[in-house]
Amino acid sequence: MKEFIELTENLAKIIGEMENQRKNVGNFLRETNSLTDLELTDDILENKLIVPVIKDGPANFKVAGVDGGMLKKSFHGIDLMLLKSAGVVSSYEDGKLVNTEYYPDSIPTSEPRTIMDPFNDMEFEINSNIERQIKEVQTTIETIEKFEPDILFMHGSVIPHTFVQDKGTLLGENYKRMIETYNKLFDTVKKKKTVLAGVIEDSRGLRFCEILNNFLFIHNNPKFPPEMKIVLTRTKDSNLLSHVLQKNERSLVFPYSSQTAEHPILKEFGDNKIFTFYIRTVESDRPLRIDFFGDKSVIDTANFISSLLMKMVGHESHGIPSVIIEACQRAKLEENELEMVYQDILNKTGNLSGLSEQRRNQRPF
């Protein structure tokens, strides 16, 4: 017990020291922000690390949010999946909410899927994520086409987070179908006036720190805190920016990747460009990462997104825009829903071997 207590004390000390280092670096970045103009590069698109959000945004606008839900379970011979996606469209006049519409419905119907392909456990997990993303992106496309909102927020990034290396497999064919759906989304956005942005609430991104680290490597300065390099190589962006950004501030805009042509996913989208920034919408919550489709003026688009985000936050301790929160609630699936689908199939087919529970779920001990 004594060794355990000593171990946790040491861990707490290490965590505390690292957080203090991040805070010192964050304070230094805030102090130098007004004194230093950054040199613009392919990665650094603005001359300040910290950019105030323009408060005088549009008073009349239409904003949409889309999210998806999924449940899945493997049986002896088949895999079952339940998918749902929801779009919420809110209209504002003089800065006040005047109307809310839903797509495809206020209470969307879940869609059961039976997967009989011979995927192993890892492939089934990947395929499930592919199917969920296709469903969500298709709802996004249809929401844009029907309502033509000024901006649409996806819950998560605007590009897929799933990658399949072997394109010649059945899984690869499903991956190809997902990429085609995303490309259709980008084509739809180009034809409409809608701005497409993704809200990542728990980002593990490192790109901001990498860009800053590269900048410091070129412009070495004795005034930099000695822990600067350590912090930038061992810290997630959002963790550092929690000590840098205050409410109504965003980071500079930067490309999602510096090597689009070599990026395993971005290269699938040709000339379509994705950009990123972080924003703090409330004081008592961490910064959000925003990925957006940059087919128009990139900085103007970032300013437009930021100003609307600040209008969409309804809770002082939770920085997610309200339209995303509602879409998330309407796309949510309850655990018993998949069980109901399974029991209904079982009643119609009888006790088939392929519908048997896996042994790991039937252990008598």
Side-chain angles (χ1 to χ4, degrees):
M1 188 64 181
K2 182 180 178 181
E3 291 179 354
F4 177 80
I5 293 174
E6 290 177 351
L7 179 61
T8 56
E9 286 178 348
N10 288 333
L11 288 174
K13 182 179 179 181
I14 292 170
I15 293 170
E17 288 175 351
M18 190 62 189
E19 200 63 36
N20 283 332
Q21 289 180 348
R22 293 186 184 113
K23 185 176 180 180
N24 291 338
V25 172
N27 290 337
F28 173 80
L29 293 175
R30 281 203 65 84
E31 291 169 3
T32 58
N33 185 68
S34 59
L35 304 174
T36 305
D37 284 342
L38 302 176
E39 179 183 346
L40 301 185
T41 67
D42 290 341
D43 283 338
I44 299 176
L45 305 184
E46 297 178 275
N47 59 12
K48 295 293 183 183
L49 285 175
I50 305 170
V51 181
V53 174
I54 299 173
K55 296 182 179 181
D56 297 329
N60 302 322
F61 58 91
K62 185 185 292 185
V63 59
V66 173
D67 194 17
M70 175 182 69
L71 291 173
K72 62 185 187 302
K73 188 174 181 179
S74 293
F75 295 88
H76 175 56
I78 67 168
D79 299 311
L80 285 183
M81 187 188 312
L82 205 58
L83 298 171
K84 184 190 285 189
S85 60
V88 177
V89 184
S90 298
S91 298
Y92 288 76
E93 293 179 5
D94 296 325
K96 296 180 180 179
L97 179 65
V98 295
N99 187 44
T100 300
E101 299 170 278
Y102 304 98
Y103 186 84
D105 202 348
S106 58
I107 305 177
T109 303
S110 55
E111 178 185 346
R113 299 273 185 91
T114 302
I115 312 298
M116 288 183 262
D117 300 316
F119 293 135
N120 60 37
D121 287 348
M122 182 177 293
E123 289 171 337
F124 175 55
E125 186 72 26
I126 294 171
N127 187 70
S128 299
N129 283 321
I130 287 174
E131 294 291 350
R132 181 192 60 77
Q133 289 174 88
I134 291 174
K135 176 77 171 176
E136 188 173 336
V137 173
Q138 190 59 48
T139 297
T140 301
I141 293 169
E142 293 167 5
T143 300
I144 292 173
E145 290 177 337
K146 181 174 182 178
F147 298 97
E148 298 190 9
D150 297 292
I151 187 168
L152 186 143
F153 291 112
M154 297 180 71
H155 191 191
S157 183
V158 296
I159 65 168
H161 56 75
T162 305
F163 173 66
V164 175
Q165 189 168 6
D166 191 350
K167 304 300 193 320
T169 63
L170 181 60
L171 192 61
E173 287 300 311
N174 289 344
Y175 176 80
K176 180 181 177 182
R177 189 161 53 90
M178 179 185 70
I179 295 298
E180 289 172 350
T181 307
Y182 272 91
N183 273 315
K184 183 180 178 182
L185 170 61
F186 298 148
D187 289 341
T188 302
V189 170
K190 288 177 181 177
K191 295 174 185 176
K192 305 292 183 180
K193 64 177 182 178
T194 302
V195 171
L196 177 66
V199 179
I200 299 91
E201 56 183 327
D202 291 309
S203 171
R204 299 187 65 85
L206 307 171
R207 180 91 169 102
F208 178 86
C209 288
E210 289 174 354
I211 291 172
L212 194 54
N213 203 10
N214 291 336
F215 175 81
L216 297 180
F217 180 77
I218 298 172
H219 303 84
N220 196 15
N221 190 316
K223 293 183 180 179
F224 291 154
E227 63 268 41
M228 180 83 85
K229 281 283 185 182
I230 296 175
V231 168
L232 292 179
T233 55
R234 299 177 61 186
T235 301
K236 297 192 295 288
D237 293 343
S238 60
N239 201 175
L240 175 62
L241 287 167
S242 292
H243 300 294
V244 177
L245 298 177
Q246 295 180 356
K247 183 181 177 180
N248 292 313
E249 292 178 343
R250 66 169 175 83
S251 74
L252 53 75
V253 177
F254 50 91
Y256 185 94
S257 173
S258 60
Q259 297 179 320
T260 301
E262 288 78 34
H263 192 278
I265 294 177
L266 288 182
K267 69 180 182 181
E268 304 278 7
F269 304 126
D271 294 332
N272 294 320
K273 305 296 184 183
I274 308 299
F275 297 89
T276 300
F277 65 89
Y278 289 83
I279 182 171
R280 192 162 202 159
T281 54
V282 295
E283 196 61 50
S284 53
D285 197 5
R286 301 178 299 277
L288 299 171
R289 190 182 102 208
I290 308 298
D291 295 343
F292 66 96
F293 182 63
D295 64 323
K296 305 175 180 69
S297 174
V298 174
I299 304 305
D300 289 344
T301 301
N303 288 333
F304 176 73
I305 295 170
S306 301
S307 64
L308 289 192
L309 274 171
M310 296 307 303
K311 297 174 185 291
M312 297 296 299
V313 177
H315 199 288
E316 272 304 313
S317 63
H318 195 66
I320 306 297
S322 55
V323 71
I324 285 287
I325 294 174
E326 185 170 1
C328 181
Q329 291 300 312
R330 293 183 180 276
K332 188 176 181 180
L333 287 159
E334 301 295 336
E335 289 293 334
N336 67 334
E337 291 185 58
L338 188 59
E339 181 63 23
M340 290 171 61
V341 172
Y342 169 67
Q343 291 296 335
D344 190 45
I345 294 174
L346 198 62
N347 290 336
K348 290 179 171 63
T349 63
N351 192 20
L352 300 179
S353 173
L355 288 170
S356 299
E357 287 268 4
Q358 291 188 333
R359 285 196 179 96
R360 71 186 71 169
N361 300 322
Q362 289 185 309
R363 292 172 182 162
F365 48 83

